[in-house]
Amino acid sequence: MAGGDDLKLLGLWSSPFVLRLRAYEYIEEEALTNKGELLLKYNPVHKKVPVLIHNGKPICESRVILQYIDEAFAGTGPSLLPADPYERAIARFWAAYIDDTMLPVWNKSSTGKTEEEIAEGKKQSLATAEVLEGALRDCGKGKPFFGGDSAGYVDVELGGLLGWVRASDELHGVKPFDPERTPLLAAWSERFGALEAVEPVVPEVSRVVEFGKTMWKARLAAAAAAGASN
């Protein structure tokens, strides 16, 4: 990136949206419920991380930030998005699929109110992984990443979930990237996770599991309190 640029990233270590962007000076908010002064200042609308601060100006939402980086620092490294307009559209489509379709389904497998809802969430989680398996086959065209020979926009979008993907079996009894069911994604996750820029920032499975169980207990307590008040 260009010398002299002041870049800061507001985030939380466990957030998959933040993990997509962990290449800058990093300022961690203590918790999602403890909104720091910088977060409230730079993202007053949603009050959520991540927020990228570039020369004092905030950019919010992980997908918007990634596209901003691609444009603001064009020519200083490989582009995340393809040059071809159609391929750019396809990359944006799959990035949106990850956030808008896959993530809500995965969350359902851990936040369902009944055993039936949880079971259905797990079933749909595996189905979305199979859809992504097909996307990797078609987009990568036999190459290592969604972006081809090097990691691109969709790789970074999905790669932010690696910590949670690796912890999913222990947390929810689901292995989204199963070598038998989705061999391309299983191999991709190993390649992407081993990248020099990625490996140091992917959280350890044990830490994610501990955090996930804490959040689950907090949800149960909140639900119990709400039930008692009603």
Side-chain angles (χ1 to χ4, degrees):
M1 293 186 178
D5 285 294
D6 179 23
L7 288 169
K8 296 182 176 67
L9 177 67
L10 303 184
L12 182 69
W13 70 267
S14 60
S15 169
F17 306 105
V18 172
L19 291 175
R20 294 169 178 168
L21 309 166
R22 287 283 303 275
Y24 319 102
E25 181 180 344
Y26 178 57
I27 302 172
E28 182 162 289
E29 295 300 305
E30 291 182 10
L32 292 177
T33 54
N34 183 17
K35 308 298 184 182
E37 181 180 345
L38 281 178
L39 178 59
L40 296 178
K41 175 183 177 181
Y42 287 115
N43 191 4
V45 177
H46 298 299
K47 303 178 179 65
K48 294 179 180 180
V49 293
V51 178
L52 181 71
I53 305 169
H54 182 204
N55 292 333
K57 296 181 290 187
I59 304 97
C60 306
E61 305 283 342
S62 63
R63 275 187 291 175
V64 174
I65 292 171
L66 284 174
Q67 293 184 48
Y68 174 82
I69 291 170
D70 216 32
E71 295 170 0
F73 301 99
T76 60
S79 177
L80 286 175
L81 282 161
D84 180 78
Y86 177 75
E87 291 183 358
R88 288 170 75 91
I90 295 299
R92 289 188 174 115
F93 172 86
W94 286 115
Y97 178 85
I98 290 166
D99 280 358
D100 302 338
T101 300
M102 189 184 76
L103 273 178
V105 166
W106 285 17
N107 288 335
K108 190 176 177 181
S109 67
S110 62
T111 60
K113 296 179 181 179
T114 65
E115 290 296 326
E116 289 76 14
E117 287 183 2
I118 292 173
E120 180 62 23
K122 292 180 179 180
K123 179 181 177 181
Q124 291 181 17
S125 295
L126 296 175
T128 59
E130 290 178 346
V131 171
L132 276 182
E133 176 87 353
L136 176 55
R137 182 181 58 248
D138 296 340
C139 294
K141 299 179 177 64
K143 295 183 178 180
F145 300 101
F146 285 90
D149 290 318
S150 60
Y153 186 56
V154 180
D155 298 283
V156 176
E157 284 283 311
L158 186 58
L161 298 170
L162 268 188
W164 289 95
V165 167
R166 292 172 176 176
S168 182
D169 194 11
E170 186 170 346
L171 278 171
H172 313 305
V174 176
K175 186 180 290 186
F177 299 167
D178 189 302
E180 294 185 6
R181 185 187 292 266
T182 52
L184 295 180
L185 280 175
W188 169 89
S189 67
E190 294 299 322
R191 283 194 298 270
F192 187 83
L195 291 175
E196 184 178 355
V198 174
E199 190 174 20
V201 301
V202 177
E204 295 180 0
V205 170
S206 59
R207 192 180 183 196
V208 176
V209 168
E210 181 180 359
F211 180 83
K213 289 180 178 178
T214 299
M215 293 294 291
W216 174 247
K217 290 177 182 177
R219 289 195 193 103
L220 290 177
S229 64
N230 291 332

